[in-house]
Amino acid sequence: MTNTSSNGTVAYDVENGIAWVRFNRPDKRNAMSPTLNRDMMEVLDLLEHDENVGVLVLGGEGPAWTAGMDLKEYFRETEVDGLRGTRKAQRESYGWWRRLRWYQKPTIAMVNGWCFGGGYGPLFACDLAFAAEEAKFGLSEINWGILPGGGATKVATELLPFRKAMYHAMMGENIDGKTAADWGLVNEALPLASLKDRVTEVAKVLLAKNPVALKATKDAVRRVGVLSYDDAEDYLIRAQEAANSYDNEGRKEGIRQFIDEKSYKPGLGAYDKDKRG
C-alpha cells in the first residue's frame, strides 16, 4: 500500500523491512520545493524509529530522481519575503538533508533519472548510492549565473578528485550514471531495469547485520575523514564503547557464534543477529 505525506509530495511504502521513499512531484521532475522539504522531514520522522523499517531507500516517481531546487517556488517565491524567507527555505531543505546524513537506519539513494544541483544534498546524505546508467547528473547552477550552493560544491569535492570536481562545477555539463559511478558520485551504475533489484539485494544484506553496529559504522565513516589519525583512533574507541552500551550482548553473540559454534566466518557474512546462545 502506497502512503503519501501530508501534502502529497513524498510517497512511501514499507515492504519486508525496507522503506521505499520517493520524491513525488513527477510533473516537476521531482524538484524540491519548500512544501516537499517539510513533507520529507515528516516522513523521515515517521520512519526513523519504526520497528518495521531496517533500511530506507530514497527514489523518485517518474523519469527523474530530483531536478534539484524548484526555481520558482524555492527561489523566486521565497525571495519575496526577503532574507527571512530565504533563510527559512534554507533551514527546511538543509535540515532534512542533515537529518538524513545522520539517520538511525542505513540509507540508499536509488537514482533512477535526473539528479541536478540541489539533488546532490540528499545524494550525499544517503550512505550508499546506486544509479541507472541512463540517469543524468549535473551541477547546472553555473548555467544560470550562480555557484553550486546548498552543499553541492562540498559534495563534489568530497566525492570527486579535484580536477573532476572543478570541471563538473565550472562547465555545467551533464554526465550519465556510468560516468557518475566511474567518478565516485555513486557506488554502482546499472541498467534502469535492474536498478531496483540490485538495491533490494544490497538492502537485504544490510538488514541481516547488527543495526547498532551499522549506525556506529556509518557515523564513524562520516566523522573520521576530517579528523587526524590520533583523533580518529580515539573517536573510534569511544564510539565502540558507546555502541557496546546499547548492544553489548549482540557483539558477544557474534563472537560466540564464531569461536564456540563455528557457525559463521566474519569475512564471509554476518552472524545471525536473531539467535542467542
Side-chain angles (χ1 to χ4, degrees):
M1 175 183 173
T2 296
N3 303 282
T4 57
S5 56
S6 293
N7 298 290
T9 61
V10 178
Y12 62 96
D13 308 275
V14 177
E15 299 176 5
N16 301 317
I18 305 170
W20 299 93
V21 179
R22 278 105 55 206
F23 298 106
N24 190 35
R25 301 183 76 210
D27 57 320
K28 300 292 185 180
R29 296 188 175 90
N30 294 326
M32 291 178 286
S33 65
T35 300
L36 182 145
N37 292 330
R38 288 190 291 271
D39 276 13
M40 192 62 78
M41 186 66 89
E42 171 193 314
V43 172
L44 293 180
D45 282 345
L46 182 70
L47 298 174
E48 186 164 25
H49 297 285
D50 187 331
E51 62 182 15
N52 296 310
V53 174
V55 175
L56 185 146
V57 176
L58 182 58
E61 290 284 0
W65 195 63
T66 176
M69 293 302 191
D70 187 310
L71 300 189
K72 179 175 181 288
E73 294 187 33
Y74 185 83
F75 290 100
R76 178 173 287 177
E77 293 183 2
T78 60
E79 288 169 1
V80 169
D81 293 328
L83 186 60
R84 177 179 181 177
T86 298
R87 289 288 184 262
K88 182 175 186 292
Q90 290 169 341
R91 284 194 302 271
E92 290 173 341
S93 57
Y94 302 170
W96 79 261
W97 302 347
R98 187 176 300 112
R99 178 71 174 278
L100 194 60
R101 280 202 306 276
W102 305 106
Y103 209 58
Q104 188 68 29
K105 311 291 174 63
T107 57
I108 304 173
M110 185 173 71
V111 185
N112 54 299
W114 290 15
C115 176
F116 289 170
Y120 282 38
L123 176 70
F124 180 65
C126 289
D127 304 319
L128 302 174
F130 296 82
E133 292 174 348
E134 302 93 325
K136 298 295 181 186
F137 294 78
L139 295 179
S140 57
E141 286 87 345
I142 195 69
N143 295 334
W144 49 284
I146 69 168
L147 61 84
T153 300
K154 174 62 172 173
V155 171
T157 58
E158 282 284 322
L159 298 180
L160 304 179
F162 174 80
R163 293 298 179 195
K164 284 185 168 57
M166 192 67 83
Y167 186 95
H168 197 46
M170 292 180 68
M171 295 296 287
E173 297 177 354
N174 298 336
I175 60 174
D176 62 18
K178 187 175 185 304
T179 303
D182 291 341
W183 285 11
L185 275 174
V186 298
N187 293 95
E188 298 174 20
L190 51 162
L192 178 60
S194 305
L195 181 60
K196 187 171 183 178
D197 286 345
R198 175 59 177 146
V199 170
T200 301
E201 178 184 22
V202 171
K204 286 181 176 178
V205 172
L206 294 173
L207 286 170
K209 299 187 186 300
N210 183 305
V212 173
L214 280 173
K215 171 61 173 166
T217 298
K218 55 184 260 173
D219 287 358
V221 171
R222 289 192 186 274
R223 293 290 187 195
V224 299
V226 297
L227 300 178
S228 69
Y229 190 92
D230 286 345
D231 287 344
E233 191 176 70
D234 186 63
Y235 169 86
L236 293 168
I237 289 170
R238 307 301 171 222
Q240 182 60 64
E241 290 172 349
N244 290 350
S245 72
Y246 283 103
D247 186 39
N248 197 37
E249 293 308 310
R251 175 181 63 91
K252 291 179 178 177
E253 178 59 25
I255 294 173
R256 189 191 70 79
Q257 289 180 27
F258 172 59
I259 296 176
D260 300 332
E261 282 191 352
K262 297 180 172 53
S263 57
Y264 93 110
K265 297 179 180 179
L268 301 178
Y271 80 96
D272 185 349
K273 63 183 177 61
D274 298 318
K275 185 177 182 181
R276 289 290 182 268

